[in-house]
Amino acid sequence: MKLFDDIPRERPATPLLDTLETPAALRAMDDAQLAQVADELRAYLLYSVGVSGGHFGAGLGVVELTVALHHALETPHDRLVWDVGHQAYPHKILTGRREAMTGIRQYGGLAAFPRRAESEYDTFGVGHSSTSISAALGMALAARTRGEHRRACAVIGDGALTAGMAFEALAHAGHVDANLLVVLNDNEMSISENVGGLASYLARILASKPYTSMREGGKKVLSHLPGALELARRTEEHMKGMVSPATLFEEMGFNYIGPIDGHDLPALVHTLRNMRDMDGPQFLHVKTRKGRGFLPAEADPIGYHAITKLEKGEPQKKDTPPPLEPTPAPSPKPKPRKYCNVFGDWLCDMAAADERLIGITPAMREGSDLIRFSQEYPQRYFDVAIAEQHAVTLAAGMACEAMKPVVAIYSTFLQRGYDQLIHDVAVQELDVTFAIDRAGLVGEDGPTHHGAMDLSFLRCVPGLVVLAPADEAECRAMLSAAYHHAGPAAVRYPRGTGPGSEIPAHLEPLAIGQAQTRRRAGGEEPKVALLAFGSLNGPAAEVAERLDATHLNMRSVKPLDRDAVLAAAAEHDLLVTLEENVVAGGAGSGVNEALMAAGHRGAVLNLGLPDAFVEHGKPAELLAECGLDADGIEAAIRRRLAGEATESGETP
């Protein structure tokens, strides 16, 4: 294996890889050629991610596994399902998208994750973890129902295997005896210790054709001897259990093989060839190293989970958590803090003030910036792994015992814990605070990661307070308000930095349900009022200046400041609601309901995300596409005013 300590700035020479337009050519190659393909694939992956930025470490860790899978399986006839998709970059390179990889995650370019519309080799669209086994099982059962001979294979990481959904699928697969192959990519980030050479040797034996033939033939012979078959089964089970973590998966009905070295290409090819022909549920456990082949990533797999794209002459960058002690900025104006940093600082400060505070995250410690909290308050910090449903109900149980749990979770992942939010928290009116990160358009990760719907699905939950800050200072004050509210409350804030407002050191809460008037309209007619929620207060301020309009920072989605809404309706000819959430059922819908209940029949324009899944790209590009930048908002208002003037016979 070729090792790298730097990311290539120029496209590397990849003569053998360049001949592969589809994986079919891999199946004619010998071991030496496959090894060369793996080296060239790793070099090209490093180069392309350096150009585009994106997920990094996971793909490096599965280069050999990806080559082996496409060599051993008859893809796309055999269905290959990748979990999450962080590990699928090598798969994309081998399946006809090599030259497009430098534009991955960019506006109009390849998607960050496998996507059915992009390639016939992407058999299932992913983005959230732990779905692969369920999807592949569905494909396997469909093939059996139709009498088709094909193998369905799910590749799942050890982190994704922590989710309950994965175990639900494993249990079902064993029950229905499906022809399903599950490959566990164990990159030592979550489960199982390396059990050494004996287990690898045993795996080769267990997967060999002589062993499997002897095993099945022996069963037929022993079946005629009373008690012998059961004795043999138990002996085999106990022998496996001594040297490999097989017991759990075999109890579920899988034939477990492994663990084997996920970077030993000949061993992978040999094992997968044999396992493809085995009937029933098969489980292959491979040990890989995240970032394999790129020495800095091997040393720091978390920091090199993803990297930003490299500009010419620029040193390599990785996605790293903020330092525990921020370095003072040399300039008078400090660099704007990310909203997740505002939350991380607030959590530590509030924990110092209230010993009842508990911090909970479903495997998002770095992304939600709980690093400092986890170090300073380890006894009050709980990372529950990829288990959003459990995270919410765990918080509910803690709240029942007079603790003050704070659940740090991404908007898109809270969707997975929605039932628990309703029935376990809201119905019981429990005091749980939700810090909802990545609300709105998050950018390059696309529709599976946009937080586009949380205002809609939260606003309808009885008794739940929902707040949306316009800047960093409001975010801190709203977190305090939600925390001190005696009941369930949520603060939703966007990814990245805010406008750069000064963040207070105190923990004073902001008043819930009170809007803020930021600008009043002049004397020009018709009068327009902009009612902005959260992140769209920035463009709202610019548009208000252009149109001489009133600008209200609504702050609270629920409860809504009805007095402010009705007063604005009485004083203006057009109300415009602005939100970085789908229009359907969102904050604007709440304004409409308040106006209708009061008998108001004036003009209202609701602007927000469209009734469609927004693609990937930079947030500014996507907001412009959705008409939610200042120019788009102004144009929509002018069109509406022009249309009303024309209908009434007036000159626009």
Side-chain angles (χ1 to χ4, degrees):
M1 177 190 297
K2 185 176 180 180
L3 302 178
F4 298 81
D5 57 15
D6 197 7
I7 295 176
R9 300 305 182 103
E10 303 294 334
R11 191 193 191 285
T14 55
L16 193 54
L17 181 66
D18 292 346
T19 67
L20 300 176
E21 293 305 320
T22 69
L26 280 174
R27 294 190 269 277
M29 291 184 175
D30 58 28
D31 287 353
Q33 290 173 309
L34 291 176
Q36 182 180 338
V37 168
D39 283 342
E40 293 180 6
L41 177 57
R42 181 169 278 109
Y44 186 81
L45 176 62
L46 285 165
Y47 161 74
S48 64
V49 178
V51 172
S52 65
H55 297 112
F56 189 71
L60 288 171
V62 296
V63 166
E64 288 78 16
L65 178 59
T66 306
V67 171
L69 284 166
H70 280 296
H71 176 82
L73 301 177
E74 296 288 336
T75 57
H77 174 75
D78 287 335
R79 309 305 196 210
L80 181 58
V81 182
W82 294 92
D83 210 283
V84 183
H86 296 162
Q87 55 189 337
Y89 282 26
H91 161 80
K92 291 197 178 209
I93 294 171
L94 290 177
T95 53
R97 289 165 280 182
R98 179 180 63 251
E99 300 307 321
M101 287 297 293
T102 53
I104 196 169
R105 301 173 77 244
Q106 298 174 23
Y107 189 68
L110 295 178
F113 307 106
R115 187 175 185 182
R116 283 168 53 82
E118 194 174 280
S119 170
E120 65 178 330
Y121 292 91
D122 292 358
T123 59
F124 196 74
V126 294
H128 289 189
S129 79
S130 316
T131 61
S132 62
I133 302 175
S134 296
L137 177 58
M139 295 172 187
L141 294 177
R144 185 167 74 183
T145 300
R146 294 203 298 245
E148 298 172 347
H149 182 71
R150 68 172 87 240
R151 173 67 70 179
C153 173
V155 185
I156 186 168
D158 55 347
L161 201 63
T162 61
M165 180 178 180
F167 281 92
E168 291 172 7
L170 286 170
H172 187 210
H175 175 72
V176 297
D177 197 32
N179 285 338
L180 173 70
L181 170 60
V182 175
V183 178
L184 171 60
N185 171 27
D186 178 1
N187 60 25
E188 302 180 338
M189 296 296 290
S190 296
I191 64 170
S192 76
E193 297 295 326
N194 193 331
V195 294
L198 179 60
S200 297
Y201 174 75
L202 179 63
R204 291 174 182 265
I205 298 298
L206 296 176
S208 68
K209 287 186 176 179
Y211 173 82
T212 53
S213 299
M214 179 182 69
R215 182 189 193 205
E216 297 305 314
K219 284 182 179 179
K220 292 179 181 179
V221 174
L222 294 175
S223 63
H224 300 291
L225 302 176
L229 185 60
E230 177 63 16
L231 176 62
R233 185 192 69 79
R234 287 182 176 275
T235 300
E236 179 188 43
E237 177 182 309
H238 291 155
M239 181 180 67
K240 286 183 179 181
M242 287 189 293
V243 293
S244 69
T247 306
L248 172 64
F249 302 110
E250 296 219 335
E251 287 297 325
M252 287 182 161
F254 279 78
N255 175 44
Y256 173 95
I257 293 175
I260 67 173
D261 183 353
H263 303 295
D264 184 341
L265 190 52
L268 284 170
V269 168
H270 172 78
T271 303
L272 284 168
R273 279 176 182 163
N274 291 337
M275 294 189 74
R276 185 186 182 277
D277 297 327
M278 295 179 183
D279 290 330
Q282 307 295 323
F283 193 100
L284 175 61
H285 182 174
V286 301
K287 302 279 289 185
T288 64
R289 188 172 180 86
K290 196 171 184 179
R292 179 66 167 165
F294 182 58
L295 299 178
E298 289 192 38
D300 184 9
I302 294 177
Y304 278 94
H305 170 73
I307 63 169
T308 56
K309 74 177 194 177
L310 304 180
E311 304 296 342
K312 288 188 177 180
E314 194 178 80
Q316 295 171 17
K317 294 180 181 179
K318 58 184 178 179
D319 283 354
T320 55
L324 297 184
E325 295 295 334
T327 302
S331 60
K333 185 176 181 180
K335 183 179 179 180
R337 298 277 284 163
K338 292 181 179 180
Y339 279 100
C340 65
N341 303 148
V342 174
F343 165 72
D345 291 342
W346 170 85
L347 190 68
C348 290
D349 294 344
M350 187 60 77
D354 188 348
E355 62 183 14
R356 298 173 299 164
L357 185 147
I358 299 289
I360 301 172
T361 179
M364 288 288 111
R365 184 184 73 154
E366 286 75 24
S368 295
D369 194 15
L370 276 78
I371 299 174
R372 182 179 147 214
F373 179 83
S374 68
Q375 294 169 345
E376 294 184 6
Y377 300 97
Q379 302 305 315
R380 294 155 66 182
Y381 165 74
F382 295 91
D383 183 341
V384 302
I386 301 173
E388 293 86 359
Q389 294 168 303
H390 170 61
V392 176
T393 303
L394 176 71
M398 290 177 171
C400 288
E401 301 301 321
M403 301 304 287
K404 296 276 287 183
V406 177
V407 180
I409 192 167
Y410 289 7
S411 170
T412 183
F413 298 144
L414 181 57
Q415 294 165 185
R416 308 183 86 170
Y418 188 51
D419 179 74
Q420 289 70 28
L421 185 149
I422 294 172
H423 293 126
D424 299 338
V425 176
V427 167
Q428 302 186 88
E429 301 179 349
L430 293 174
D431 192 354
V432 178
T433 300
F434 294 91
I436 305 174
D437 197 353
R438 269 63 167 181
L441 300 176
V442 299
E444 291 86 347
D445 285 344
T448 59
H449 282 60
H450 293 321
M453 306 173 195
D454 54 75
L455 292 186
S456 300
F457 69 70
L458 293 175
R459 197 176 66 80
C460 62
V461 179
L464 178 65
V465 167
V466 184
L467 307 175
D471 55 41
E472 303 92 329
E474 282 195 351
C475 184
R476 183 175 173 94
M478 285 183 180
L479 287 165
S480 293
Y483 184 79
H484 290 301
H485 173 70
V491 181
R492 60 102 71 171
Y493 45 89
R495 182 183 188 180
T497 59
S501 65
E502 183 177 351
I503 305 170
H506 61 71
L507 293 168
E508 293 300 317
L510 180 146
I512 293 174
Q514 293 185 17
Q516 174 196 44
T517 301
R518 292 197 165 186
R519 188 187 190 280
R520 293 194 179 276
E524 293 187 12
E525 299 289 342
K527 285 189 174 183
V528 177
L530 306 179
L531 281 60
F533 294 85
S535 58
L536 291 192
N537 273 280
E542 188 174 343
V543 173
E545 290 293 333
R546 295 180 188 179
L547 300 179
D548 190 19
T550 293
H551 172 200
L552 295 181
N553 170 20
M554 294 304 297
R555 291 178 165 172
S556 182
V557 178
K558 185 177 183 180
L560 189 68
D561 189 340
R562 293 170 57 87
D563 292 340
V565 170
L566 297 179
E571 298 168 4
H572 298 81
D573 302 294
L574 174 64
L575 297 188
V576 182
T577 65
L578 301 169
E579 60 188 304
E580 199 171 336
N581 186 85
V582 293
V583 171
S589 293
V591 171
N592 297 347
E593 292 159 12
L595 293 172
M596 291 295 290
H600 177 72
R601 296 295 183 268
V604 181
L605 174 61
N606 300 130
L607 297 180
L609 299 178
D611 187 22
F613 291 106
V614 180
E615 295 300 327
H616 58 279
K618 294 186 182 301
E621 294 172 327
L622 302 180
L623 286 171
E625 180 187 90
C626 296
L628 293 179
D629 60 349
D631 290 341
I633 293 168
E634 179 186 4
I637 294 172
R638 290 191 183 280
R639 285 195 301 270
R640 180 59 176 268
L641 292 174
E644 289 183 355
T646 301
E647 291 172 2
S648 65
E650 299 174 1
T651 302

